[in-house]
Amino acid sequence: MTAPVGEDDLTAWVDDRLAVERRPVVERYLADHPHIAARLRQQQNQRSALRSLFAPIAAEPLPATMRIEAIAASQRGTRPAWFQAVAAALLLAVGFGGGWGVRTRTLPPQAGIGALAREAGYSYRVYASDAQRPAEMGAGEKQQLVSWASRRIGSKVAVPDLAAAGYRFAGGRLVATPHGPALLLLYDGAARARLAVLSRPMDIDKDASMVSTRDDDVQQVSWADRGIGFSVVAPSATTGLQPIAAAIRVQAAAI
């Protein structure tokens, strides 16, 4: 059975590192999803532009002071022989593997649950901190918000009831993401605590288990059911976010 196309496949396709046996599968997937294909080609173009920009620097010879021989010579007599051998081995490991290793850790996710959580964090920082007008439509316009968002997103949405967890619905708005419009719902808790729920259709990871993440000042619990992704966001100091996310998931499944 052929494995479904995932984020690793798409990243490998952009980097031209996709395994030969996976290429036909990914090509068919991109043919069926032209909007994803267009985004990946844009990433390829950016990658090529960066490579061209830094090509002259990459072609320059390594400065003499950074060569292993020079480093070893500067340390000779002050370090034991075993230390010099280990240092040289580490330099070689960093030289050959460091670039791709750093890239893997720092490149932000472009699709799937990881991207959803990142988008939720961005939206939370922009709108949840706005004391004057965090929501486009207030709590009294809940039905209008649901109808409007359902049409724009292309899927039926609902406003979860979080009163049992101590949060009151404050309103919501549509926000733009690289994957199309998303619905951002805002809730107010005790002591001015604010919680948000971002939901949108998923290109991949259409059914995904809950994943907890932290990004500096915020934390998220994200998942996907039946093609719709959800990410619950709150300040990092908030406790009990996982049970709240579980309650939202149960209510969303009943839509």
Side-chain angles (χ1 to χ4, degrees), residues 12-251:
W13 188 88
V14 170
D15 294 335
D16 198 22
R17 296 184 295 110
L18 188 63
V20 175
E21 62 273 15
R22 291 292 292 168
R23 186 168 292 277
V25 179
V26 174
E27 294 288 355
R28 286 195 298 271
Y29 176 85
L30 294 178
D32 293 337
H33 300 80
H35 60 294
I36 298 179
R39 187 174 72 250
L40 295 186
R41 290 192 181 93
Q42 183 180 22
Q43 293 175 21
Q44 280 187 324
N45 293 336
Q46 292 172 347
R47 177 174 172 269
S48 298
L50 287 172
R51 178 174 290 179
S52 299
L53 178 64
F54 290 105
I57 298 175
E60 293 178 358
L62 187 68
T65 55
M66 294 183 64
R67 295 183 181 278
I68 292 177
E69 298 90 338
I71 296 174
S74 67
Q75 298 294 328
R76 192 171 294 123
T78 62
R79 303 287 188 185
W82 66 265
F83 184 93
Q84 296 176 25
V86 171
L90 287 174
L91 282 171
L92 286 172
V94 170
F96 286 110
W100 278 110
V102 170
R103 179 185 183 279
T104 301
R105 289 191 293 271
T106 59
L107 183 67
Q110 302 297 318
I113 290 297
L116 176 71
R118 183 164 50 92
E119 294 158 10
Y122 288 164
S123 297
Y124 184 90
R125 291 186 181 95
V126 172
Y127 297 109
S129 61
D130 188 342
Q132 300 300 320
R133 191 177 175 84
E136 188 70 24
M137 304 179 74
E141 302 171 286
K142 182 188 298 185
Q143 293 305 319
Q144 296 94 313
L145 174 64
V146 167
S147 299
W148 178 44
S150 297
R151 289 195 305 270
R152 292 296 307 276
I153 292 177
S155 179
K156 187 177 180 181
V157 302
V159 176
D161 183 355
L162 302 182
Y167 285 89
R168 175 184 58 83
F169 176 61
R173 63 167 66 234
L174 286 177
V175 297
T177 78
H179 305 89
L183 173 61
L184 182 70
L185 302 176
L186 298 167
Y187 293 81
D188 289 332
R192 295 186 177 181
R194 182 161 282 168
L195 177 146
V197 183
L198 183 83
S199 60
R200 65 163 172 81
M202 301 293 289
D203 295 328
I204 61 174
D205 291 347
K206 294 179 180 291
D207 288 283
S209 301
M210 284 187 169
V211 177
S212 297
T213 54
R214 286 182 179 269
D215 184 9
D216 294 330
D217 56 334
V218 299
Q219 59 175 314
Q220 303 102 329
V221 178
S222 310
W223 71 95
D225 280 328
R226 297 174 295 171
I228 302 296
F230 299 85
S231 187
V232 186
V233 197
S236 294
T238 303
T239 59
L241 193 61
Q242 190 87 22
I244 294 174
I248 294 173
R249 186 171 193 174
V250 170
Q251 294 184 44

